[in-house]
Amino acid sequence: MAQIAFEQVSKSWGETEVLRPMDLSIANGECVAILGPSGCGKSTTLFLLAGLYAPTSGKVLFDGHVVNGVDARDRNVGIVFQSYALYPHMTVRANIGFPLRFQKVDKDDLSRRVVEAANLVQIDEFLDRKPAELSGGQQQRVALARALVKQPNILLLDEPLSNLDATLRMSMRAEIRAIQRRLGMTTLIVTHDQIEAMTMADRIICMSRGAVAQIGTPDELYRRPADTFVAGFIGSPPITLLEGDAKGETLHIGTGAMTLTASTAGRITLGLRPEDLRLGAPGQGGLPARVVTVEPLGREVLYGVETAIGRLHVLAMAGDAVPPAGEPAAVQIDAAHSLLFDAGGRRIPNLNIRP
Amino acid sequence: MSQAFVPVRCRRARPALFLAPAASLLLLFFLAPIVIDVGIAFTNMGESLKVTAWTLKNFDRILGADRMIPLILLTTFLYVTATLFFFNVGLGVVLAITTTAVSDRLGALFRGIWILPRMSPAVIYALLWIWVVDSSPQGLLNQVVTGIFGLAPLNLRNDHPLLVIILANGFVGASFAMVVLTSTIRSIPEHLFHAARVDGASEWSVLRFVVLPSLKGPVWFITIYQALSLLVTFEYILLITNGGPVYDSTTYALYVYRRAFEGGHYAYGAALAIALMLFGVCFTLLQWRLFGDGMNRTRPRIEVL
Amino acid sequence: MAEQSSPDWMALARRGRRHRMIFLGTITVFLTLVSLPVVMPYLWLLTMSVTTLGSAAVMQVFWRAAGLVAVLYLALIVLPPLMPERFRTWVPAMAAAAAVILTTLFILPLTTLNNFRFLWNPDVMAAQQGRSSTIGELPSIWSAMGNSFALAGTQTALILITATPAAYALSRLAFRGRETLSRGILLLHAFPVMALTVAIFIQSYWMGLLNSILGVVLVLTTLELPFAILILKTFFDAVPWDIEMSAVTDGASRWQAFRLVVLPQVSGGLIAVGTFTFLRGWEEYVYVTTLLIDNSHMVMSLYLFWVSQDAMGADPNLIAATGVIYLLPVVALYVFAQKYLTQISFGGIKG
């Protein structure tokens, strides 16, 4: 087991800096997700940790010791790659046993541990097949078994579920999480899928353009995003961000205005999540609005409404009584959950709009 | 604004017109010579290029009377297997693996060096070998042999002609496998290398467990393809040893050529050539059976024009 | 689980570095040694072309040049990755500068361009060869070069004109027998053409094409055609159908679609096949020597061969100079077209 830390670690390929100097600390046994859009440097972070890439500057520490120059094969990490990276010419048994080949493990012990690992991920019946004869989900399990068989200090998962279909993804999510809890090893999951990150991780590192945007629990990232990027990236359907000018306690947006709980000044961005808005008939109070678009999502319906402060998105349960498209309506805002960001995009704590 | 739909006169493409120029050339200078060769094989055409009689004598000669043929076949077998095993496959595999294991720059440099013999005109390449193995003390090899190792000068071209043609062809042949296998190695997903490193494999083990297994299929293909190519070409041998001394380094393909053009036994040469052609075609059909013919079989998606 | 003692990370890092150095060092040394026999003869050719035989200078120039190449190799290619970042720019620059100075001081004074005098004085070669030669006087190198250019150039043009429409038809036109025809071409590509020397010689004799450049061009073009068609076919196969469909929908005939829309997409393939054909024509020896039996039409390969075979009066330095002149266009063309040539897939390289 290991505690991991980054001290000002950066990575450049020639002139292009893919990872800006970054600090990071992951506790022993913690499960952390690195979340971000593609190209934000999250896989780079993972490979730096595994020793597959060498940092351009800074220190990678395991349990407080610098491991910068240590080869990947000496770090005792296990990785599940996005493509699974199974050796195509080896059977499942040989694939899982491969990491043990390079440790001083005797034959009986080796086969016992291979079977154990296979049992853990429930693929013991496929041990003598080649990877090409397995489905995507089974290959994924083999990759997981191969990563676990050498009892790594750190388990790294690079987009582990992105090649699976939706139902399988849900069950694997829970299964991986359960295995991680059971074995208690420090785990890092790289993903671009917020649901995956939220459901599997204790903490989420949200990254954007080679830098950490925010580190926190799933709830923190959702309710108290550090900036407009995190607010926009987390939450589905996405948050509506409206830019306005604040003068004292009044925030002017478009042709309308909102009242703030404290006075401020300058460019302010208001963030409203669709699930924090309610759509009702006109005259019931709230912001006068007109329904423009209706998008049924199954259990819920997403409405686009035009208001004085701009276009808002409202999430309502299917079957709720709401005005049809083109009709006037009113939007009620859950003011306590409103988010306000300053000119630099940083969230202003303890500031809300008044109901 | 509405306009009546007027179908344009149907302009079907005529595949025959597209194919005609190439087809007429192939008929005239590729297929016709095959037929002519078979025809001449049944005549007594000699130096005068005149045909006076139809005969089966040429085939009798191949099948028994020509005492050279067993020797020629032995030479051919030794030459092909040794060149193939040590160079066209062996060295090619080693070069592909090693040049992809070092930095891109170093790898590109060495691949460039090994391509050099292949792109050099045959006459120059042969000339270099003649100079290298020159029997005088000024010969490049002899300078090394006498100067560095203090041995007596060698006369390889005379004493070990087979060795010379194996080396000369091998140095050219290694680059085929090198180029093909380099692209095979390049196409191994990077994740596999990463996975092996994380799993504890050393640099050497990565070559052994990730790179080498991926070469299996292509190596079989190269072996068959290059075996055929070594069997039927003789340009470098002709230029370096001319098959000599006497017939010591004459392979079958060169034997065909020498019989026809050195003594003017055109009919006999034509008969000998038939065996080479048959062998080539059978070998190719075998190769197709084993590996497929590698042809793109997607149907044209515009069917009507 | 029990708390594991942390491994000695420092020692692991040292071991990893050592292993990496051993791995790269072993491979680099191996490649260097195994490649020496390839490099040295070419260096010898160059040396011979700029020195005079019999003078002590030959060996001096050769070994000095070899030493220089070795130093440059170390300083420019091998060592830079091992150096700290700040040395990496100026050490190679210094090495290059030192190489220029060393060459000027120690190699250039020993060399001569006299061997290349046949370039500006065509009679030298003829005079020198004519005396002892059994084959009569050789024409000047310029006429051989001109013939080679004409041969390779015509062959390239003919190949492109005939192979391109054929490859297009096999790749993209729907007609009966398309597959059979493609397989036929494939079989011809694998056919041992060297076995046809006898028949082609006889046929050329009958057709009156012996001793004519045109005859050689027609034969070589035809023998290269299957290869050219197959390679161009793979390029046509890769052109997306959408653009051709849209061209046809816009009212173009297939011929127009071929010419205006598809052909520009395969320009890389045309360059690759063109370059390849040109190089083959430029270097061809067997068919040239078989079909051009008297010396009225000398091409470069025959020229070099005759110059080198003439044991009595052969001047190795003159031969080397001729060889360098013969080799230069090949190397230049190869370097220029390399990125196109590498697009030729599998089996595209002559065995």
Side-chain angles (χ1 to χ4, degrees):
Chain A
M1 311 298 108
Q3 180 264 337
I4 305 166
F6 272 24
E7 277 180 15
Q8 292 294 300
V9 170
S10 75
K11 180 66 188 174
S12 306
W13 298 111
E15 295 294 300
T16 42
E17 193 178 43
V18 288
L19 199 66
R20 278 181 268 167
M22 167 176 176
D23 285 315
L24 195 66
S25 174
I26 296 167
N28 198 350
E30 197 177 12
C31 180
V32 173
I34 305 182
L35 176 67
S38 58
C40 71
K42 53 191 195 301
S43 289
T44 308
T45 311
L46 200 74
F47 290 164
L48 282 168
L49 201 55
L52 293 167
Y53 293 168
T56 308
S57 68
K59 293 178 194 159
V60 179
L61 301 127
F62 286 3
D63 293 328
H65 301 279
V66 180
V67 295
N68 275 23
V70 179
D71 256 9
R73 63 177 177 135
D74 294 324
R75 291 198 185 189
N76 198 18
V77 295
I79 303 193
V80 175
F81 290 91
Q82 181 171 11
S83 63
Y84 314 138
L86 300 178
Y87 309 113
H89 56 283
M90 296 183 197
T91 59
V92 168
R93 190 186 298 278
N95 260 288
I96 299 176
F98 191 69
L100 299 180
R101 248 182 151 129
F102 304 103
Q103 300 179 355
K104 289 187 178 65
V105 178
D106 65 62
K107 264 206 172 120
D108 298 339
D109 204 19
L110 190 147
S111 50
R112 186 181 50 77
R113 281 170 68 177
V114 168
V115 172
E116 263 176 28
N119 276 330
L120 189 68
V121 295
Q122 300 160 24
I123 39 145
D124 33 320
E125 53 193 302
F126 304 121
L127 277 175
D128 293 310
R129 294 211 194 158
K130 291 271 179 76
E133 302 165 61
L134 300 180
S135 71
Q138 290 161 345
Q139 289 187 32
Q140 217 258 353
R141 287 163 188 270
V142 177
L144 191 59
R146 186 180 63 184
L148 293 173
V149 73
K150 60 176 172 177
Q151 296 161 351
N153 289 336
I154 303 165
L155 178 64
L156 305 173
L157 305 161
D158 188 9
E159 303 271 7
L161 307 175
S162 63
N163 288 337
L164 303 180
D165 60 48
T167 27
L168 202 54
R169 208 179 295 179
M170 249 168 85
S171 61
M172 273 317 279
R173 234 157 46 197
E175 206 169 313
I176 292 178
R177 181 62 170 144
I179 291 173
Q180 191 269 332
R181 286 242 169 82
R182 181 134 52 97
L183 302 180
M185 74 198 96
T186 314
T187 302
L188 232 88
I189 304 164
V190 159
T191 177
H192 65 274
D193 180 356
Q194 45 173 310
I195 314 243
E196 223 165 278
M198 295 233 175
T199 51
M200 292 172 76
D202 302 319
R203 277 196 304 156
I204 296 177
I205 301 169
C206 190
M207 290 184 68
S208 153
R209 276 180 277 151
V212 173
Q214 186 174 6
I215 303 180
T217 62
D219 193 54
E220 273 169 2
L221 261 64
Y222 180 71
R223 280 298 167 206
R224 294 194 294 283
D227 55 21
T228 46
F229 169 78
V230 179
F233 193 71
I234 291 185
S236 170
I239 195 168
T240 309
L241 294 169
L242 301 162
E243 247 185 70
D245 279 304
K247 281 201 187 76
E249 290 198 352
T250 314
L251 176 62
H252 298 279
I253 307 174
T255 55
M258 292 294 205
T259 318
L260 300 172
T261 52
S263 65
T264 179
R267 297 295 287 174
I268 296 286
T269 304
L270 169 66
L272 296 170
R273 295 204 182 272
E275 52 273 34
D276 297 333
L277 305 181
R278 282 168 51 80
L279 200 58
Q284 291 182 347
L287 210 55
R290 196 166 53 80
V291 178
V292 189
T293 61
V294 182
E295 294 175 34
L297 302 176
R299 195 163 51 87
E300 292 144 339
V301 182
L302 185 66
Y303 293 94
V305 298
E306 204 63 67
T307 68
I309 59 169
R311 170 78 65 93
L312 295 179
H313 290 101
V314 183
L315 197 63
M317 297 306 276
D320 282 4
V322 280
E327 291 298 305
V331 175
Q332 287 161 8
I333 300 172
D334 183 354
H337 285 151
S338 65
L339 301 166
L340 289 150
F341 303 91
D342 64 19
R346 311 293 305 169
R347 188 173 62 87
I348 309 169
N350 305 320
L351 185 69
N352 284 115
I353 53 171
R354 281 184 204 281
Chain B
M1 277 297 285
S2 86
Q3 223 173 352
F5 177 72
V6 184
V8 184
R9 182 175 51 88
C10 187
R11 294 171 298 177
R12 282 191 66 89
R14 295 206 177 78
L17 288 184
F18 284 84
L19 292 165
S24 47
L25 272 179
L26 287 174
L27 267 178
L28 200 54
F29 290 101
F30 210 135
L31 298 177
I34 297 176
V35 176
I36 290 174
D37 189 277
V38 175
I40 296 173
F42 289 95
T43 69
N44 64 348
M45 180 185 277
E47 207 165 4
S48 63
L49 293 175
K50 293 213 166 52
V51 177
T52 52
W54 297 92
T55 170
L56 286 174
K57 216 177 62 198
N58 296 317
F59 297 96
D60 286 343
R61 226 169 130 187
I62 295 176
L63 295 173
D66 190 342
R67 303 245 167 245
M68 288 306 296
I69 286 186
L71 172 72
I72 299 295
L73 290 180
L74 180 68
T75 309
T76 311
F77 176 77
L78 289 177
Y79 159 75
V80 171
T81 43
T83 315
L84 195 62
F85 182 77
F86 289 110
F87 291 96
N88 290 33
V89 175
L91 186 60
V93 169
V94 172
L95 285 176
I97 292 178
T98 48
T99 57
T100 47
V102 292
S103 70
D104 282 352
R105 208 167 150 179
L106 202 58
L109 173 76
F110 282 113
R111 279 192 299 272
I113 286 175
W114 279 91
I115 293 277
L116 200 56
R118 188 177 289 278
M119 68 184 208
S120 303
V123 182
I124 294 185
Y125 181 71
L127 185 64
L128 291 181
W129 270 96
I130 291 171
W131 280 347
V132 167
V133 298
D134 190 69
S135 59
S136 74
Q138 275 82 43
L140 205 52
L141 182 68
N142 278 340
Q143 287 191 27
V144 175
V145 166
T146 56
I148 298 179
F149 298 104
L151 301 170
L154 301 170
N155 187 358
L156 283 186
R157 207 144 65 101
N158 209 48
D159 303 338
H160 303 283
L162 202 53
L163 179 67
V164 173
I165 62 169
I166 288 170
L167 289 173
N169 277 280
F171 276 47
V172 177
S175 55
F176 179 81
M178 179 187 78
V179 169
V180 172
L181 296 178
T182 296
S183 64
T184 311
I185 294 172
R186 288 260 164 83
S187 66
I188 299 174
E190 206 191 3
H191 281 169
L192 273 188
F193 290 98
H194 284 168
R197 295 295 284 156
V198 170
D199 286 344
S202 68
E203 285 93 345
W204 301 104
S205 305
V206 170
L207 300 187
R208 158 84 179 75
F209 292 109
V210 178
V211 176
L212 213 50
S214 75
L215 303 182
K216 211 170 126 195
V219 160
W220 274 114
F221 166 81
I222 289 167
T223 307
I224 300 278
Y225 188 87
Q226 293 281 279
L228 181 60
S229 147
L230 283 170
L231 269 170
V232 300
T233 55
F234 57 80
E235 197 170 18
Y236 297 120
I237 310 178
L238 177 71
L239 282 162
I240 294 173
T241 66
N242 194 20
V246 200
Y247 280 97
D248 285 2
S249 59
T250 302
T251 61
Y252 189 83
L254 181 57
Y255 188 62
V256 174
Y257 187 83
R258 290 184 68 184
R259 273 288 154 173
F261 291 100
E262 276 180 6
H265 305 292
Y266 296 113
Y268 186 47
L272 287 167
I274 291 178
L276 204 56
M277 296 178 199
L278 280 178
F279 193 82
V281 171
C282 294
F283 219 84
T284 307
L285 294 178
L286 173 79
Q287 187 189 337
W288 288 0
R289 263 201 97 89
L290 290 177
F291 307 106
D293 55 17
M295 205 168 61
N296 183 337
R297 283 182 203 287
T298 43
R299 300 184 57 76
R301 287 178 54 198
I302 300 179
E303 290 186 334
V304 289
L305 278 175
Chain C
M1 262 180 233
E3 185 68 25
Q4 292 173 336
S5 62
S6 196
D8 184 355
W9 295 109
M10 296 277 277
L12 283 177
R14 273 198 306 276
R15 198 190 70 172
R17 200 158 44 238
R18 200 173 60 237
H19 283 186
R20 210 155 34 240
M21 294 302 280
I22 292 172
F23 175 78
L24 290 177
T26 312
I27 288 187
T28 308
V29 168
F30 166 79
L31 277 173
T32 310
L33 291 180
V34 83
S35 302
L36 274 182
V38 183
V39 178
M40 292 307 240
Y42 286 92
L43 198 60
W44 182 244
L45 178 76
L46 262 182
T47 308
M48 293 285 274
S49 75
V50 292
T51 51
T52 312
L53 192 72
S55 70
V58 181
M59 291 325 290
Q60 278 176 1
V61 169
F62 179 65
W63 290 114
R64 281 176 192 181
L68 190 70
V69 169
V71 169
L72 280 180
Y73 166 67
L74 282 176
L76 294 182
I77 314 257
V78 178
L79 294 180
L82 306 175
M83 292 179 202
E85 190 85 50
R86 60 208 149 93
F87 293 128
R88 263 180 229 174
T89 43
W90 66 266
V91 166
M94 288 287 286
V100 172
I101 295 169
L102 287 176
T103 310
T104 329
L105 286 182
F106 295 105
I107 299 183
L108 282 188
L110 298 172
T111 61
T112 168
L113 282 180
N114 196 31
N115 300 321
F116 292 92
R117 64 191 180 280
F118 58 83
L119 286 178
W120 49 88
N121 186 2
D123 300 335
V124 172
M125 190 75 101
Q128 183 156 16
Q129 294 293 319
R131 263 186 291 112
S132 54
S133 176
T134 49
I135 53 162
E137 287 207 354
L138 279 170
S140 91
I141 190 169
W142 289 109
S143 116
M145 215 186 274
N147 281 336
S148 268
F149 261 111
L151 190 151
T154 326
Q155 191 189 339
T156 308
L158 261 180
I159 283 270
L160 290 180
I161 291 169
T162 54
T164 314
Y168 174 81
L170 290 180
S171 166
R172 296 174 90 88
L173 294 183
F175 59 92
R176 272 186 36 210
R178 168 174 165 274
E179 191 129 307
T180 319
L181 211 55
S182 301
R183 281 179 81 98
I185 302 277
L186 207 55
L187 195 60
L188 285 187
H189 168 56
F191 193 86
V193 292
M194 286 300 190
L196 287 178
T197 42
V198 184
I200 286 179
F201 172 75
I202 308 284
Q203 190 188 349
S204 300
Y205 167 73
W206 286 338
M207 293 173 78
L209 287 174
L210 275 189
N211 283 325
S212 108
I213 295 273
L214 177 70
V216 179
V217 167
L218 286 174
V219 168
L220 290 181
T221 303
T222 310
L223 298 183
E224 286 289 314
L225 250 183
F227 167 77
I229 293 176
L230 289 176
I231 294 299
L232 284 173
K233 180 176 179 295
T234 65
F235 279 89
F236 280 119
D237 285 343
V239 175
W241 274 98
D242 297 356
I243 63 161
E244 192 169 4
M245 285 180 172
S246 102
V248 171
T249 323
D250 290 344
S253 69
R254 284 307 285 276
W255 173 254
Q256 286 165 324
F258 161 66
R259 218 162 36 88
L260 303 172
V261 179
V262 182
L263 205 52
Q265 307 290 317
V266 297
S267 54
L270 295 177
I271 295 178
V273 169
T275 309
F276 197 87
T277 312
F278 188 90
L279 290 177
R280 295 284 286 117
W282 181 256
E283 72 141 2
E284 176 60 36
Y285 173 72
V286 173
Y287 270 99
V288 167
T289 194
T290 308
L291 297 179
L292 299 179
I293 44 178
D294 65 23
N295 294 313
S296 50
H297 298 287
M298 202 42 107
V299 293
M300 281 303 284
S301 58
L302 286 182
Y303 188 84
L304 183 58
F305 180 78
W306 284 118
V307 169
S308 65
Q309 283 299 300
D310 202 21
M312 292 298 287
D315 173 352
N317 301 112
L318 215 56
I319 301 169
T322 317
V324 169
I325 296 296
Y326 185 23
L327 185 58
L328 276 181
V330 177
V331 177
L333 194 58
Y334 202 88
V335 170
F336 157 76
Q338 205 200 6
K339 73 169 181 183
Y340 300 103
L341 288 176
T342 47
Q343 296 171 358
I344 295 184
S345 48
F346 241 39
I349 309 157
K350 64 160 176 159

